[in-house]
């Protein structure tokens, strides 16, 4: 399992203050930030949230390239949202008009404004989520979820999915490399055949792994519920971080 989660989890007690902050405080700040992002309107506050998320991720010790790599797809979605609003919204002053394949297109100021606002909200929301995910170890997130009365079955499913999704990605890559070494992807017909075999093998190995994992869990005392460590009481730095975070979000909301 690679990526920033492994980096953050591996730091242990030496991780930075932002990474070591209590998950319950981060969850409250995340919901508040998403609320500000959705209700502030305009583009200044959402873009400020995206920039703030980048700065905090770097301050937490996560390489900026990890943030930009994960923001690539949301950026593409934001671009698509901007372009579609140009074609769909016909409000405000006309800015540009042209004819293409006998179709008349008119870009208006309302379309630009609506597209910019929608794109900024996508970037601001995804930046906020990335800050939360890149600086919060999964066990801390699950403890916070249990504290806020999240159903135990959802917590268990999330933990198991997070643990095994990387294993099966590695298993799929191993099978695919073995197929490629036997010329399994040299032409279109072989691609279809090898892909079908790859999918079938993954399903069978998923079933085998599930049976083995369940048997191992029963041997270790599993009786239908995973034991989750109870979180420690909030410390003074957690309350200070909560107050500072809410104050900063209030400032960002006021500058909309």
């Amino acid at each position: 399992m690679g990526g920033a989660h492994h980096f953050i989890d591996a730091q242990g007690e030496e991780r930075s203050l932002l990474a070591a902050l209590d998950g319950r405080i981060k969850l409250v700040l995340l919901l508040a930030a998403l609320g500000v992002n959705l209700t502030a309107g305009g583009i200044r506050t959402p873009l400020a949230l995206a920039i703030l998320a980048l700065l905090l991720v770097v301050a937490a010790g996560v390489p900026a390239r990890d943030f930009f790599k994960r923001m690539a797809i949301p950026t593409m979605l934001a671009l698509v949202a901007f372009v579609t609003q140009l074609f769909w919204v016909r409000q405000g002053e006309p800015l540009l008009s042209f004819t293409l394949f006998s179709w008349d297109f008119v870009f208006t100021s309302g379309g630009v404004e609506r597209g910019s606002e929608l794109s900024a909200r996508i970037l601001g929301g995804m930046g906020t989520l990335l800050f939360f995910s890149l600086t919060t170890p999964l066990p801390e997130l699950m403890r916070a979820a249990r504290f806020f009365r999240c159903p135990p079955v959802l917590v268990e499913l999330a933990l198991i999915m997070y643990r095994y999704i990387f294993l099966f990605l590695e298993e799929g890559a191993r099978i695919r490399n073995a197929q490629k070494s036997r010329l399994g992807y040299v032409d279109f017909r072989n691609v279809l055949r090898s892909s079908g075999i790859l999918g079938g093998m993954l399903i069978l190995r998923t079933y085998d792994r599930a049976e083995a994992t369940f048997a191992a869990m029963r041997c270790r005392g599993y009786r239908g519920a995973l034991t989750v460590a109870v979180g420690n009481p909030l410390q003074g730095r957690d309350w200070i971080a909560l107050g500072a975070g809410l104050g900063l979000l209030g400032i960002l909301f006021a500058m909309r």
Side-chain angles (χ1 to χ4, degrees), residues 35 55 65 86 89 110 150-151 153 198-199 221 243:
L55 296 177
R65 64 176 178 276
L86 292 180
V89 178
C150 181
V153 63
L198 173 62

Side-chain angles (χ1 to χ4, degrees), residues 207-228:
Y207 182 79
D208 290 341
R209 183 64 68 92
E211 290 288 335
T213 302
F214 183 70
M217 292 171 66
R218 292 291 300 270
C219 291
R220 290 168 172 79
Y222 178 73
R223 294 295 181 269
L226 291 177
T227 302
V228 178

